[in-house]
């Protein structure tokens, strides 16, 4: 655990409210969002409301419609008995209440989005509260107004529809890109899986098949950040967002101190000879090293792209937002403990370790 520090939970500077967006929109076309770095709501600065004049119509019949609301009250109980409040996206069209009450329907991480390569996809975000959020489909590379990066397109207060079409099968993730440093720490992300046109069971077209699959999104949590408001730091006040001192280390929303060793959503049980596809996401801000517990992993893809030649590893280094697809095919039965070390970004010192297991029967 790193050193602790105190901070104010509110900014010292405020701005007046500005225009809010709220219509459905899509891709193609003109200039950026709210412009100039102004525009705010309540105590927020540097938010960019939707510019309705630049929002073209959507394709009328997408192959996939994903609906997401906002939940800013997700209690997560840690192995030491403490509860930390997380934020996330609910997998309904619902939004949240004033003050961030949320719908109470989301999980941390948020529910995965799963589509097939080449499909036209709509992600409809309903914020439904007096604040801004976005969805950025990380690594998909859509037209910029569907990219979900507030300062390049706009932040959403109301309802907005992103249009995108994945060109490559692989492991991605989606996250909020409003006040990104805080909102990502608060848990506003989820896995985004693009299957080949044939569907699950093969990592990508012409790639290896698999029998079992798991998503390990590994993250560090600094619980002292989790009392901050959604706009903290946007007006220049120092709320400590440059000072990350994690006290919990999690795998796909499960405390890696003990619970992730046996949690069925994280720990894997498989038969000897089966092929396991590990979709590993470095979901935190700090560097990580994953040790595969004595097993050999074949790394077949990185950041949603197949490697020209796969590599065999027993451990793997990753930095923030990197994704690796790894095939593991155990030849012996046993219980293998996987350890992910989360390290200080300058010194390399291990700040904490999250653990899970692969049990081969």
């Amino acid at each position: 655990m790193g050193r602790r520090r105190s901070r104010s939970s509110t900014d010292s500077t405020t701005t007046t409210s500005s225009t809010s967006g709220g219509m459905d929109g899509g891709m193609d076309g003109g200039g950026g969002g709210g412009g100039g770095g102004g525009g705010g709501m309540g105590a927020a600065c540097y938010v960019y409301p939707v510019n309705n004049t630049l929002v073209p119509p959507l394709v009328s019949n997408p192959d996939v419609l994903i609906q997401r609301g906002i939940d800013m009250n997700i209690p997560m109980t840690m192995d030491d008995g403490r509860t930390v409040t997380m934020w996330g996206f609910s997998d309904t069209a619902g939004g949240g209440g004033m003050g961030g009450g949320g719908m109470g329907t989301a999980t941390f991480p948020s529910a995965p989005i799963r589509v097939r390569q080449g499909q036209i996809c709509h992600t409809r975000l309903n914020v439904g509260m007096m604040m801004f959020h976005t969805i950025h489909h990380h690594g998909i590379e859509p037209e910029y107004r569907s990219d979900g990066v507030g300062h390049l397109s706009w932040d959403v207060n109301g309802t907005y529809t992103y249009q995108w079409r994945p060109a490559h099968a692989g492991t991605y993730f989606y996250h909020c890109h409003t006040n990104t440093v805080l909102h990502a720490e608060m848990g506003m992300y989820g896995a985004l899986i693009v299957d080949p046109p044939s569907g699950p069971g093969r990592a990508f077209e012409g790639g290896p098949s698999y029998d079992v699959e798991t998503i390990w999104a590994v993250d560090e949590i600094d619980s002292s950040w989790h009392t901050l408001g959604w706009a903290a730091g946007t007006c220049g006040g120092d709320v400590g967002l440059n000072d990350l001192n994690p006290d919990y280390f999690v795998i796909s929303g499960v405390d890696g101190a003990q619970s992730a060793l046996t949690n069925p959503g994280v720990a894997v049980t498989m038969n000897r000879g089966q092929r396991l596809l590990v979709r590993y996401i470095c979901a935190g801000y700090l560097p990580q090293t994953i040790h595969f517990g004595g097993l050999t992993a074949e790394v077949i893809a990185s950041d949603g792209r197949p490697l020209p030649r796969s590599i065999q590893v027993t451990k793997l280094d990753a930095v923030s937002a990197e994704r690796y697809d790894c095939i593991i095919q155990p030849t012996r039965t046993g219980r293998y403990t996987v350890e992910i070390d989360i390290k200080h970004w300058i010194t390399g010192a291990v700040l904490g370790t999250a653990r899970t297991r692969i049990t081969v029967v």
Side-chain angles (χ1 to χ4, degrees):
M1 183 184 301
R3 65 182 177 85
R4 310 308 303 162
R5 73 281 184 210
S6 62
R7 61 161 67 91
S8 169
S9 62
T10 58
D11 294 326
S12 60
T13 307
T14 61
T15 62
T16 57
S17 297
S18 183
T19 307
S20 64
M23 65 177 289
D24 283 349
M27 53 192 294
D28 288 350
M41 181 164 290
C45 303
Y46 292 94
V47 291
Y48 301 81
V50 176
N51 184 338
N52 291 334
T53 65
L54 298 177
V55 179
L58 297 164
V59 170
S60 58
N61 294 302
D63 298 305
V64 181
L65 172 63
I66 303 109
Q67 302 198 75
R68 289 292 184 268
I70 301 296
D71 189 341
M72 298 177 69
N73 186 20
I74 305 170
M76 180 179 177
T77 302
M78 302 300 183
D79 285 339
D80 62 6
R82 290 185 61 202
T83 298
V84 178
T85 298
M86 309 298 295
W87 303 348
F89 299 98
S90 59
D91 59 353
T92 70
M98 288 289 292
M103 294 293 288
T105 59
T107 59
F108 164 66
S110 302
I113 292 174
R114 191 155 199 157
V115 301
R116 297 191 185 192
Q117 176 183 332
Q119 289 184 315
I120 298 175
C121 306
H122 287 177
T123 304
R124 182 172 297 153
L125 173 62
N126 181 10
V127 175
M129 54 180 72
M130 297 295 288
M131 55 189 67
F132 288 95
H133 294 282
T134 72
I135 288 180
H136 171 64
H137 304 86
H138 192 105
I140 295 298
E141 300 177 353
E143 197 272 346
Y144 76 95
R145 284 169 298 170
S146 284
D147 201 37
V149 181
H151 61 283
L152 295 179
S153 54
W154 33 61
D155 302 289
V156 178
N157 168 248
T159 301
Y160 189 78
T161 299
Y162 301 94
Q163 183 166 267
W164 50 286
R165 188 176 191 177
H168 303 276
T171 302
Y172 304 85
F173 70 111
Y174 68 102
H175 62 87
C176 182
H177 227 313
T178 297
N179 199 10
T180 314
V181 173
L182 176 61
H183 289 207
E185 158 68 21
M186 293 299 294
M188 299 196 74
Y189 64 82
L192 196 171
I193 307 303
V194 179
D195 291 308
S198 58
R202 193 168 293 278
F204 47 82
E205 285 189 284
S209 62
Y210 58 90
D211 306 296
V212 184
E213 178 184 40
T214 191
I215 300 170
W216 290 339
V218 183
D219 196 0
E220 74 279 331
I221 293 175
D222 183 339
S223 61
S224 70
W225 289 30
H226 288 245
T227 60
L228 298 174
W230 73 277
T234 62
C235 296
D238 183 2
V239 296
L241 298 184
N242 64 334
D243 189 12
L244 181 68
N245 295 284
D247 42 1
Y248 297 104
F249 306 90
V250 302
I251 306 174
S252 296
V254 179
D255 194 335
Q258 290 293 328
S259 293
L261 288 168
T262 56
N263 185 285
V266 180
V268 175
T269 299
M270 60 185 297
N271 295 324
R272 181 171 60 88
Q274 284 188 314
R275 294 163 67 87
L276 167 67
L277 174 61
V278 175
R279 298 184 183 272
Y280 166 53
I281 303 172
C282 183
Y285 287 126
L286 298 176
Q288 301 177 2
T289 299
I290 179 170
H291 304 265
F292 290 102
L295 294 169
T296 297
E298 180 186 6
V299 185
I300 60 172
S302 171
D303 294 345
R305 301 293 187 273
L307 296 181
R309 180 179 300 172
S310 65
I311 59 173
Q312 305 285 328
V313 302
T314 57
K315 66 176 184 177
L316 188 62
D317 293 319
V319 295
S320 185
E322 280 193 310
R323 291 93 60 209
Y324 288 99
D325 291 355
C326 306
I327 294 286
I328 298 176
Q329 189 171 15
T331 58
R332 293 189 297 177
T333 61
R335 191 167 64 177
Y336 302 88
T337 299
V338 176
E339 297 184 323
I340 304 99
D341 292 329
I342 291 84
K343 301 181 292 186
H344 191 281
W345 70 283
I346 295 176
T347 67
V350 175
L351 302 178
T353 301
R355 296 174 175 85
T356 189
R357 286 197 183 115
I358 299 173
T359 301
V360 183
V361 296

